[in-house]
Amino acid sequence: MSIQEHIAEIRSRIDAAARETGRTGADIVLVGASKMNDAEACQEAITAGIDALGENRVQEMTGKLAQDAYRGAPLHFIGHLQRNKVKQVVGKVSLIQSAGSVELLREIEKAAAKLDIVQDVLLEVNIGGEEAKSGFAPEAVRDAAVLAKELQHVRVQGLMTIPPVAAEDHGNLAYFQKVYALYVDINREIYDNKLKYISMGMSGDFEDAIRAGSNMVRVGTAIFGQRYYAK
Ligand SMILES: *Cc1c(COP(=O)(O)O)cnc(C)c1O
């Protein structure tokens, strides 16, 4: 199947899951996770109507930006962002989904202030409490949201999470429900219900994420096919 056919199929599955929660596919943002895929594949996804593309490596993104790979769609940064690479990302993407520490938020603020822009971000939640993953601990997200609100050049638009690799079917549903509950609380108590996005769900679990309340899914393999990492 082509990228276009994959996207059509995913859209219909998104729509079905959204309808279980009284929404439709139009309420869900489909972000294509395009890492390891070339500019041509990115353009194919954009032509097929993907809502946004997401990259998770700064160097790869910079190279593909130079090739105009993302022309015609918003670009998100979705991967682990090192503080020393913030300058290469701020202002280049419409949304940084992976703001996962106070230090990173401050670095984004500094870079955005220099450009005199406001950078949209999501606060990443490390819902599984995994050592190897970045993101705020669930009990730290609220304080981070309060702090971020004081930053003049950073605008929090919601939350993002990458749960642990699930050992069984529907293994991530409970994590998604927890992050959704956090989102609802923080949205109401700190952001006056102005937050827009709760980004959760990937190729293997986007339907459960939507059932739990997600309105933004990041899908790679199911759109672009298997990624082959160089040894
Ligand atoms: C690669 C990636 C995805 C997509 O993963 P798939 O399982 O291929 O759909 C989603 N989110 C992030 C942060 C990623 O790096």
Side-chain angles (χ1 to χ4, degrees), residues 129-199:
E130 293 170 284
E131 198 83 30
K133 270 194 189 129
S134 42
F136 293 101
E139 56 281 2
V141 186
R142 172 183 296 268
D143 283 353
V146 170
L147 178 139
K149 226 181 150 183
E150 301 302 312
L151 303 175
Q152 302 291 303
H153 303 86
V154 170
R155 179 169 52 204
V156 173
Q157 295 274 30
L159 302 184
M160 179 272 229
T161 199
I162 309 171
V165 175
E168 56 207 85
D169 284 356
H170 310 292
N172 284 331
L173 188 55
Y175 288 121
F176 292 143
Q177 289 165 339
K178 276 188 201 159
V179 177
Y180 183 72
L182 260 179
Y183 174 76
V184 169
D185 271 7
I186 289 173
N187 199 11
R188 187 182 50 228
E189 286 167 30
I190 302 169
Y191 284 99
D192 207 16
N193 287 318
K194 300 249 164 53
L195 295 181
K196 284 193 189 152
Y197 302 120
I198 170 160
S199 173

Side-chain angles (χ1 to χ4, degrees), residues 33 35 56 78 160 162 202-203 218-221 227:
K35 57 174 171 276
N56 69 339
I78 62 177
M160 179 272 229
I162 309 171
M202 320 203 302
S203 291
R218 310 174 309 271
V219 179
T221 320
R227 291 180 291 270

Side-chain angles (χ1 to χ4, degrees), residues 96-141:
I96 297 174
Q97 293 204 15
S98 40
S101 72
V102 167
E103 295 73 29
L104 187 59
L105 282 170
R106 292 199 188 286
E107 206 65 40
I108 294 170
E109 166 68 20
K110 233 193 327 185
K114 233 176 227 163
L115 297 174
D116 198 20
I117 60 164
V118 174
Q119 177 67 60
D120 283 343
V121 306
L122 304 182
L123 300 178
E124 180 174 355
V125 186
N126 183 0
I127 195 63
E130 293 170 284
E131 198 83 30
K133 270 194 189 129
S134 42
F136 293 101
E139 56 281 2
V141 186

